[in-house]
Amino acid sequence: GPLAMRLMDAFYALLTRDCGLSKKTVLEGFSRGGLFAFNWAARNPEKVACIYADAPVCDFKGWPGGRGAGKGSPEDWARLLKLYRMTEERALRAGRNPYNPKDNLRPLARNGIPLLHVVGDADDVVPVAEHTAIVERRYKRLGGRIEVIHKPGVGHHPHSLRNPKPIVDFITASFSPTPQPRPARCEKAGAAR
């Protein structure tokens, strides 16, 4: 939600300003983390090198809302509405929603952010047809580059791949770190922990 976006903004500033890490980040979003990764990228597309999403929630109406083929989560739906400060009516309204990843792909495509989704074809929590398949169609239509790796017969878990090489290859091909000196204040912050 919005609070998580502000916290990530502060974390990003700390890592890039104080620790000298790359200005372009690799985002990973697993399950509900898809909401976070895609929403932060849509707000900050110039700061994102690529997104690796694994069984990602791309439409909160389906999960946690339960308004589709997948299993919803009434408790998480109530939390989402509170955190996003939305009524259920507003959250379910047809059309573009500023917090729904499937509705906010244009900034990512415009900035050339490559996407990799790893999905289980038997996922009954975050069904591929209602999440990744919609993102894949829309992203390609916008001129974006997306690769989807399907795991036949696999549900929502386990995440990742038995052999993560395709994921590592995607990230290394998408990300070119620029070596930067590590500021002294980051060294002190790390030593204090």
Side-chain angles (χ1 to χ4, degrees):
L3 174 60
M5 297 296 104
R6 290 192 299 274
L7 291 172
M8 179 61 179
D9 290 343
F11 186 57
Y12 173 87
L14 172 81
L15 293 177
T16 57
R17 180 193 64 227
D18 296 351
C19 296
L21 295 183
S22 175
K23 302 277 187 211
K24 290 267 193 172
T25 185
V26 173
L27 294 175
E28 296 181 3
F30 284 53
S31 193
R32 77 175 74 195
L35 293 172
F36 179 87
F38 280 91
N39 284 334
W40 195 81
R43 288 171 42 121
N44 301 281
E46 72 287 352
K47 298 175 182 173
V48 179
C50 65
I51 299 174
Y52 157 44
D54 199 299
V57 173
C58 300
D59 183 356
F60 57 65
K61 294 174 200 171
W63 193 96
R67 303 319 195 272
K71 298 175 183 176
S73 172
E75 302 83 24
D76 289 309
W77 180 240
R79 266 196 295 261
L80 181 137
L81 295 175
K82 183 178 178 182
L83 288 171
Y84 285 65
R85 297 183 177 161
M86 283 192 284
T87 63
E88 186 166 70
E89 179 185 1
R90 182 174 164 230
L92 296 174
R93 190 176 304 142
R96 191 176 180 280
N97 187 300
Y99 300 115
N100 234 353
K102 71 180 182 76
D103 297 329
N104 295 297
L105 298 169
R106 189 174 307 280
L108 284 63
R110 200 176 309 138
N111 282 273
I113 299 171
L115 309 178
L116 171 65
H117 283 212
V118 174
V119 296
D121 285 339
D123 192 335
D124 63 352
V125 177
V126 182
V128 175
E130 295 175 359
H131 295 268
T132 290
I134 292 170
V135 167
E136 183 178 22
R137 277 193 311 274
R138 290 181 180 181
Y139 207 57
K140 285 180 178 178
R141 203 168 37 233
L142 290 167
R145 184 168 64 92
I146 180 171
E147 178 183 351
V148 180
I149 298 174
H150 292 266
K151 299 184 293 187
V154 175
H156 192 64
H157 294 105
H159 288 300
S160 195
L161 299 170
R162 284 181 193 238
N163 177 358
K165 185 176 182 335
I167 299 166
V168 173
D169 290 346
F170 165 78
I171 292 170
T172 56
S174 303
F175 179 71
S176 300
T178 306
Q180 297 182 35
R182 193 164 177 176
R185 73 177 114 165
C186 187
E187 293 291 338
K188 289 178 187 171
R193 293 178 187 193

